[in-house]
Amino acid sequence: MKKQTVRVLTAVVLAGALATGASACGQKNNPAAERTLSYRSIWSADEPQAKILKSALDDFAQQEGVKVDVKFVGRTGGDALTTEMAAGKGPDLFDAGSDNLPAWRAQNLAAPVDDVLKMPVPGENGKTVGDLVPEALQKAASDDKGLGFVPHTAISTAVWFDAAKHPELLSSPPKTWDEFISYLDKAKAAGRTPICQDGTVPFYNVYWLYSALVNAGGAQSLLDLQKTSDAWDKPEVKAAAGKVEQLAKGGYFQPNFIATKYPAAQNDWIKGKCDLNINGSWLASEVASATPSGAQIRSFQLPVGGKESVEAGALGLGVNAKGKNAEDAKKFLAFFEQSKYQKRIAEEGKNIPARSDVPAPEALSDVQKALAGAKDVHLTYDTAAGNKAWWNDMFLPLDDQLLQGRIGADQFVQQGKQKSAQIMAGQK
């Protein structure tokens, strides 16, 4: 489940202006002046993303006369990375994502990289990183301190279906909540299971409430719930919880879904045992080995009205604030935005390139269009996952109870408000 990695950290994790000329040539021929650019990656060496990054780093080393020290350590190999970086012993480059940026910032380990936006991307007719990476993705990689990392991959959340089995969803996806429920009812009446849900994964379960609230209310609709008790009294909170209660009571999920262990539900979905699955944009890649011939994975945004905000998350590379070679690290950030590497992220990595001018795989084309056309965007989980005491200990378990039908919308709001107030009081 790639969502637990970079974030990906969750999901799928996973470049500069050329300083060439006589200076670089001199460094290339003078061992004493040799520079080293180090990168510790949570990708495993045999993964497509690792191969793309390794190829780009090799190209960068040859072109810039820089020695590259790269280690692909896998998902758990970076567990000590923050400690090493804090001690000044970490790599120059590290993997970063929208929802782990707050943690990097809190420890003052992510160097500001706003200046990279002004760097020209090699071979792109003078266009800069800022010209090529859309605003939605820049926002996804930023906080109140500015740009925290440079995205190479876009991520988002959507409702997924197989267009080969349900072409009507491709030609006419539901545009309102009523239309969505109508589709679920028709599927159920036809003897099909409308939704497959990996119910033992709380941060997948919360997609329904999170999307219902933030897609309609926009950024900070969810985040505000952990900041002030008054936010729980807003009508849109109960409205979103009411939609989840409707799903729970409607019998739209597979039997005993709450005990289903990842990745059983998403694999059942792609095999046609149910119509829909709500998930991140890494889903097509994760179910690739189980995908039958002829399947056409596509998606639509959960239709709840309001602002119709779209989740804009990103994976990318950050620069260690205590690293030894920040200059070359930033150069590589611009270097890696070249279209030839972005195309490989789409074609080999099966992910959405950060650059909107580079087409995503067909399975992800709907998400890429939604991001490109969004009038309102929000970050992954509305950044609410950063407060672990609130998110992990209170909110996710409470949401599980709502999705299971053990509590209703009124109880959810009442308990959430009370427990949030207690947590806020303890964190003052």
Side-chain angles (χ1 to χ4, degrees):
M1 171 176 7
K2 292 176 181 161
K3 185 163 188 319
Q4 291 177 322
T5 63
V6 180
R7 144 173 41 54
V8 163
L9 232 204
T10 167
V12 189
V13 224
L14 146 138
L18 298 179
T20 54
S23 172
C25 292
Q27 289 165 339
K28 196 179 293 186
N29 297 323
N30 181 3
E34 187 174 60
R35 295 122 61 201
T36 298
L37 174 64
S38 58
Y39 168 45
R40 183 92 51 83
S41 175
I42 66 167
W43 296 104
S44 297
D46 59 347
E47 292 184 280
Q49 290 85 351
K51 294 176 181 179
I52 298 166
L53 282 158
K54 180 64 165 59
S55 175
L57 286 162
D58 288 345
D59 292 346
F60 182 77
Q62 182 176 10
Q63 195 158 329
E64 284 290 311
V66 181
K67 179 182 178 182
V68 172
D69 176 18
V70 55
K71 293 182 176 63
F72 294 102
V73 297
R75 301 298 184 263
T76 60
D79 288 350
L81 184 58
T82 54
T83 302
E84 293 176 20
M85 287 171 62
K89 299 178 181 179
D92 301 306
L93 287 169
F94 62 90
D95 296 299
S98 298
D99 54 355
N100 66 359
L101 177 59
W104 292 109
R105 290 290 210 195
Q107 298 176 73
N108 296 314
L109 296 177
V113 289
D114 299 84
D115 51 339
V116 177
L117 294 174
K118 298 179 181 178
M119 291 183 175
V121 177
E124 302 290 345
N125 298 317
K127 291 186 177 180
T128 65
V129 173
D131 293 331
L132 296 171
V133 176
E135 279 190 35
L137 270 293
Q138 291 182 37
K139 181 179 178 181
S142 299
D143 57 12
D144 57 1
K145 296 180 181 178
L147 192 69
F149 64 95
V150 174
H152 55 59
T153 299
I155 58 175
S156 192
T157 299
V159 180
W160 303 85
F161 64 94
D162 182 353
K165 287 185 170 64
H166 306 289
E168 73 280 9
L169 289 176
L170 184 61
S171 60
S172 183
K175 298 296 185 183
T176 67
W177 182 257
D178 287 344
E179 288 181 7
F180 179 63
I181 294 297
S182 176
Y183 176 84
L184 300 182
D185 286 335
K186 289 177 182 177
K188 188 177 175 182
R192 304 194 307 271
T193 299
I195 304 169
C196 276
Q197 185 77 20
D198 276 307
T200 54
V201 185
F203 54 76
Y204 279 179
N205 292 338
V206 81
Y207 276 150
W208 294 106
L209 178 65
Y210 152 61
S211 300
L213 177 58
V214 186
N215 288 20
Q220 296 199 351
S221 298
L222 177 59
L223 182 63
D224 283 348
L225 297 182
Q226 63 180 228
K227 291 187 173 183
T228 170
S229 296
D230 292 343
W232 286 89
D233 296 326
K234 294 181 178 179
E236 53 263 36
V237 177
K238 184 177 177 180
K243 289 179 171 61
V244 179
E245 180 180 1
Q246 187 176 7
L247 293 176
K249 290 182 176 179
Y252 300 124
F253 301 105
Q254 78 272 24
N256 199 28
F257 76 92
I258 203 64
T260 303
K261 295 183 179 180
Y262 168 91
Q266 63 185 45
N267 285 342
D268 283 348
W269 161 74
I270 195 56
K271 292 174 183 177
K273 294 183 180 180
C274 48
D275 291 10
L276 307 174
N277 182 254
I278 192 169
N279 217 310
S281 48
W282 53 85
L283 178 63
S285 177
E286 288 196 344
V287 300
S289 62
T291 302
S293 175
Q296 299 175 29
I297 297 176
R298 300 296 292 265
S299 69
F300 59 85
Q301 294 294 302
L302 188 67
V304 291
K307 291 189 176 181
E308 297 183 345
S309 185
V310 177
E311 178 188 287
L315 303 177
L317 295 171
V319 175
N320 183 359
K322 297 184 179 182
K324 297 179 175 62
N325 191 355
E327 182 179 354
D328 283 319
K330 290 183 177 182
K331 286 181 180 180
F332 180 74
L333 296 182
F335 185 87
F336 194 50
E337 292 297 333
Q338 292 180 71
S339 59
K340 61 182 177 181
Y341 304 123
Q342 285 279 290
K343 288 178 181 177
R344 291 184 64 184
I345 286 174
E347 296 167 2
E348 299 170 34
K350 305 300 181 185
N351 287 310
I352 304 171
R355 286 176 51 170
S356 56
D357 63 332
V358 177
E362 185 179 18
L364 304 177
S365 59
D366 304 294
V367 174
Q368 189 177 46
K369 289 176 183 176
L371 283 167
K375 295 180 180 178
D376 198 87
V377 298
H378 57 272
L379 304 187
T380 305
Y381 291 138
D382 204 24
T383 71
N387 186 335
K388 301 303 180 184
W390 186 86
W391 180 255
N392 290 339
D393 300 341
M394 190 282 288
F395 192 74
L396 292 183
L398 189 64
D399 173 75
D400 275 354
Q401 292 183 57
L402 179 63
L403 193 66
Q404 293 171 37
R406 292 166 55 193
I407 61 174
D410 289 334
Q411 292 170 293
F412 174 81
V413 172
Q414 181 183 13
Q415 292 184 33
K417 180 177 180 178
Q418 180 183 8
K419 293 178 180 180
S420 293
Q422 293 171 350
I423 292 171
M424 284 183 274
Q427 292 180 340
K428 285 183 178 180

